[in-house]
């Protein structure tokens, strides 16, 4: 029996798009008196929407090719700019409700200046922002950190999404920046590819340059399992996953899939564990008890777990204490604002804590904003991140 699809959301969205464009056009007609303004505006909007529909229809044969990327990013940029201009137009229109006067031309000019600024920001994000690697440092204090690990540094990246890269020189700059941190340990917290193992192959020579004295370790993310594309059969999907695991080995990354290792420094050690992806709505594969089997509560433990919802649901309340969990997954939605004391991204409506450090029940979580990008081929305000964490013994 086929699942019945409701048309109501599509109808409501179509109405919203119509009203949005009508409102933007009403403002545009204040600053342009040409008789061609309305037909040219409508023609451009129809052409942009039509191009995306055509790109979607071509996907089965051509995939997300250049035509799809151009048409989808054009429409996304246009939509964002129209929302911005509408917000400013509305703010300027509010006084008219009480005064009954016409629109303030200067406010309309400001609104369309913000329209242009939004377009510039999106272009910057698509060309430069997605490779604007930032090193974010954290110093974390623990009472029960073994003395020999006081000052121990680890570097974390997450969400490489190698299939999205298109600038080898920029990626190399990011790799060099990782190595420049001189971390004792390197960890990668999942989503090496978008869908297929082959996506990382052109980049193996880059990421295999990453070295740390105490090793390089990794886990899988939700995209690594190939769940989001159609395979000829289950065997092909399984072969793809095995190939991806083999590529981790070529990279020099030791995969931790529901297991752990001891990181030894002289006569002391800490536990580094990793789980398969466990995330609400993204597959609950990971087995935390299995990953920590054979460890006890007195040992200092670091866990690699791709999706931060795992920490919220299981890790922070687990009987065998996990001191530090390293996650990724959110990307900070690749869009937001982190400046002037403001930390905001739309992803907060899905994940209350979506980037950086959080502590609860004596357990600490760090969410990396991601090294790569997916879907939107850019980043605006939420830059790609290399996390460096220094472990310190509480005095």
């Amino acid at each position: 029996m086929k699942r019945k699809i409701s048309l109501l959301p599509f109808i409501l969205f179509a109405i919203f798009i119509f009203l949005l464009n009508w409102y933007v056009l009403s403002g545009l007609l204040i600053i342009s008196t040409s008789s061609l303004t309305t037909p040219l505006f409508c023609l451009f909007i129809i052409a942009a929407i039509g191009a995306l529909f055509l790109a979607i229809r071509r996907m089965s044969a051509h995939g997300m090719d250049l035509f799809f990327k151009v048409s989808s990013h054009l429409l996304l940029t246009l939509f964002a700019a129209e929302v911005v201009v509408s917000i400013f137009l509305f703010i300027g229109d509010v006084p008219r409700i009480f005064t009954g006067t016409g629109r303030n031309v200067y406010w309309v000019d400001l609104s369309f200046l913000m329209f242009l600024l939004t377009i510039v920001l999106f272009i910057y994000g698509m060309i430069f922002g997605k490779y604007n690697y930032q090193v974010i440092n954290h110093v974390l204090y623990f009472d029960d950190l073994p003395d020999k690990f006081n000052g121990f540094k680890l570097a974390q990246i997450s969400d490489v999404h190698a299939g999205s890269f298109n600038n080898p020189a920029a990626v190399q700059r990011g790799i060099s920046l990782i190595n420049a941190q001189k971390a004792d340990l390197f960890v990668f917290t999942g989503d090496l590819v978008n869908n297929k193992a082959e996506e990382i192959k052109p980049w193996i020579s880059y990421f295999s340059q990453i070295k740390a004295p105490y090793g390089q370790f990794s886990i899988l993310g939700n995209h690594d399992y190939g769940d989001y594309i159609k395979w000829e059969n289950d065997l092909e999907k399984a072969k793809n996953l095995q190939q991806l695991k083999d590529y981790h080995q070529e990279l020099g990354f030791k995969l931790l899939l529901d297991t752990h290792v001891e990181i030894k420094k002289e006569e002391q050690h800490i536990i580094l564990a990793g789980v398969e992806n466990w995330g609400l709505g993204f597959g609950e594969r990971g087995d935390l008890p299995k990953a920590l089997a054979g460890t006890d509560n007195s040992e200092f433990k670091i866990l690699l777990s791709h999706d931060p919802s795992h920490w919220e649901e299981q890790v922070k309340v687990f009987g065998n204490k996990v001191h530090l969990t390293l996650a990724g997954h959110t990307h900070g939605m690749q869009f937001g604002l982190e400046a002037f004391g403001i930390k905001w991204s739309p992803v907060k409506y899905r994940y209350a804590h979506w980037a950086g450090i959080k502590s609860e029940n004596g357990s600490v979580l760090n969410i990396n904003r991601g090294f790569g990008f997916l879907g939107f081929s850019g980043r605006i305000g939420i830059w790609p991140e290399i996390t460096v964490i220094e472990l310190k013994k509480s005095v």
Side-chain angles (χ1 to χ4, degrees):
M1 184 177 183
K2 285 189 176 181
R3 185 180 176 185
K4 198 171 183 180
I5 300 175
S6 173
L7 293 177
L8 182 60
F10 298 98
I11 294 172
L12 292 176
F13 183 70
I15 292 172
F16 172 74
I17 293 297
F18 173 80
L19 292 176
L20 177 68
N21 282 280
W22 168 80
Y23 194 52
V24 171
L25 179 60
S26 72
L28 187 60
L29 291 173
I30 299 296
I31 57 178
S32 175
T33 56
S34 171
S35 60
L36 294 176
T37 300
T38 298
L40 287 176
F41 178 86
C42 293
L43 183 63
F44 179 74
I45 297 299
I46 292 170
I49 294 174
L52 182 60
F53 272 109
L54 177 60
I56 292 172
R57 288 180 63 88
R58 294 171 73 253
M59 278 181 65
S60 59
H62 301 277
M64 292 185 181
D65 59 3
L66 182 61
F67 180 70
F68 177 86
K69 290 178 180 178
V70 170
S71 59
S72 61
H73 283 67
L74 171 64
L75 202 60
L76 175 63
T77 303
L78 180 63
F79 176 74
E82 286 191 326
V83 169
V84 169
V85 75
S86 296
I87 291 172
F88 277 86
L89 282 175
F90 180 76
I91 294 172
D93 284 346
V94 168
R96 297 173 58 202
I97 300 173
F98 305 99
T99 63
T101 57
R103 270 180 168 154
N104 185 319
V105 176
Y106 297 107
W107 194 267
V108 175
D109 288 342
L110 174 63
S111 300
F112 281 93
L113 180 63
M114 297 306 296
F115 176 89
L116 294 174
L117 178 60
T118 302
I119 292 175
V120 169
L121 282 174
F122 268 75
I123 293 173
Y124 173 84
M126 287 185 279
I127 297 174
F128 303 107
K130 61 189 178 185
Y131 296 116
N132 183 25
Y133 300 109
Q134 303 291 307
V135 177
I136 296 181
N137 292 279
H138 301 289
V139 179
L140 302 179
Y141 291 85
F142 298 92
D143 294 333
D144 47 358
L145 180 71
D147 293 335
K148 297 296 182 182
F149 287 85
N150 188 35
F152 191 83
K153 286 172 62 177
L154 59 91
Q156 176 199 4
I157 65 169
S158 192
D159 300 271
V160 163
H161 291 288
S164 300
F165 289 145
N166 57 9
N167 188 332
V171 173
Q172 180 60 62
R173 188 171 66 249
I175 300 298
S176 298
L177 192 56
I178 294 169
N179 282 330
Q181 305 314 305
K182 305 294 184 185
D184 297 297
L185 181 73
F186 170 81
V187 298
F188 169 65
T189 47
D191 277 1
L192 189 62
V193 297
N194 297 341
N195 294 297
K196 291 185 175 181
E198 65 191 35
E199 295 167 19
I200 190 59
K201 195 171 181 180
W203 306 99
I204 289 176
S205 63
Y206 294 81
F207 286 89
S208 61
Q209 297 171 32
I210 300 172
K211 301 296 179 186
Y214 288 83
Q216 304 83 234
F217 297 87
S218 60
I219 56 171
L220 300 177
N222 55 300
H223 279 268
D224 294 324
Y225 295 90
D227 288 342
Y228 304 123
I229 58 172
K230 188 175 181 180
W231 299 91
E232 289 185 17
N233 50 58
D234 290 342
L235 179 60
E236 288 299 310
K237 184 179 179 181
K239 285 169 63 177
N240 177 75
L241 181 57
Q242 184 56 54
Q243 180 64 74
L244 185 66
K245 292 176 181 179
D246 292 342
Y247 282 146
H248 274 257
Q249 188 172 357
E250 278 192 53
L251 291 168
F253 297 177
K254 180 175 174 57
L255 269 171
L256 298 176
L257 302 179
D258 295 338
T259 189
H260 69 268
V261 294
E262 289 185 359
I263 306 296
K264 297 179 179 178
K265 195 172 184 183
E266 298 181 30
E267 74 281 5
Q268 295 182 335
H269 74 272
I270 61 175
I271 298 295
L272 179 66
V275 291
E276 299 218 37
N277 185 67
W278 194 107
L280 293 176
F282 293 95
E284 299 171 12
R285 290 179 167 92
D287 188 333
L288 184 59
K290 181 180 177 183
L292 297 180
T295 68
D296 61 58
N297 207 45
S298 65
E299 292 176 290
F300 187 92
K301 292 180 284 297
I302 299 173
L303 175 70
L304 310 182
S305 182
H306 177 71
D307 192 312
S309 65
H310 187 214
W311 183 83
E312 294 285 358
E313 295 295 319
Q314 291 189 352
V315 179
K316 70 182 183 182
V317 294
F318 194 63
N320 190 353
K321 181 180 178 180
V322 175
H323 297 74
L324 174 61
T325 300
L326 303 175
H329 183 63
T330 71
H331 298 209
M333 208 169 174
Q334 298 167 210
F335 175 83
L337 178 62
E338 290 190 273
F340 314 111
I342 300 170
K343 182 178 178 180
W344 179 87
S345 166
V347 78
K348 69 172 290 184
Y349 303 112
R350 174 66 173 83
Y351 299 93
H353 177 66
W354 49 270
I357 298 292
K358 181 180 181 180
S359 181
E360 196 171 325
N361 293 342
S363 183
V364 180
L365 167 71
N366 179 66
I367 303 175
N368 180 282
R369 292 163 179 81
F371 188 85
F373 47 92
L374 179 68
F376 171 52
S377 184
R379 282 179 177 265
I380 301 171
I382 308 295
W383 312 121
E385 175 182 351
I386 299 163
T387 309
V388 178
I389 295 177
E390 183 176 3
L391 305 178
K392 298 287 283 186
K393 180 90 170 183
S394 297
V395 179

